[in-house]
Amino acid sequence: MPIAYDATASDGQGSITSLTFSHTCTGSNRILFVAPVLDITASDLVSGVTYNGVAMTQINKRAGTVSFAYLYYLINPATGANNVVISTTSSTTIRGMSASY
């Protein structure tokens, strides 16, 4: 069975230590990806990402010329509308994008 797109969500705010936004997962055999992006001046500040209170696993992180990007995943996330929470160790601009399949 091919992979099927489910949903996306995103949000962003400046000068915060935690960004929360809702993402809705549906279907079966689910996977959720979350990509936090911080200002480059923020450096490596992400301390964790959760979905519905469940810790997500970091796949990778990369410093670019204008931002610091991360990628997290969670296999079989809860269905329905739940919160994605991106936490940092210091106040910074945080943008977060999520996609489920």
Side-chain angles (χ1 to χ4, degrees), residues 5-30:
Y5 165 79
D6 179 35
T8 57
S10 64
D11 197 4
Q13 296 181 29
S15 195
I16 56 174
T17 58
S18 180
L19 176 67
T20 301
F21 61 96
S22 181
H23 181 96
T24 302
C25 290
T26 61
S28 59
N29 299 317
R30 299 170 306 281

Side-chain angles (χ1 to χ4, degrees), residues 16-59:
I16 56 174
T17 58
S18 180
L19 176 67
T20 301
F21 61 96
S22 181
H23 181 96
T24 302
C25 290
T26 61
S28 59
N29 299 317
R30 299 170 306 281
I31 188 166
L32 172 66
F33 295 99
V34 174
V37 178
L38 282 60
D39 288 346
I40 191 63
T41 56
S43 189
D44 187 4
L45 297 179
V46 171
S47 57
V49 177
T50 63
Y51 177 71
N52 192 36
V54 178
M56 298 184 70
T57 302
Q58 186 182 83
I59 296 173

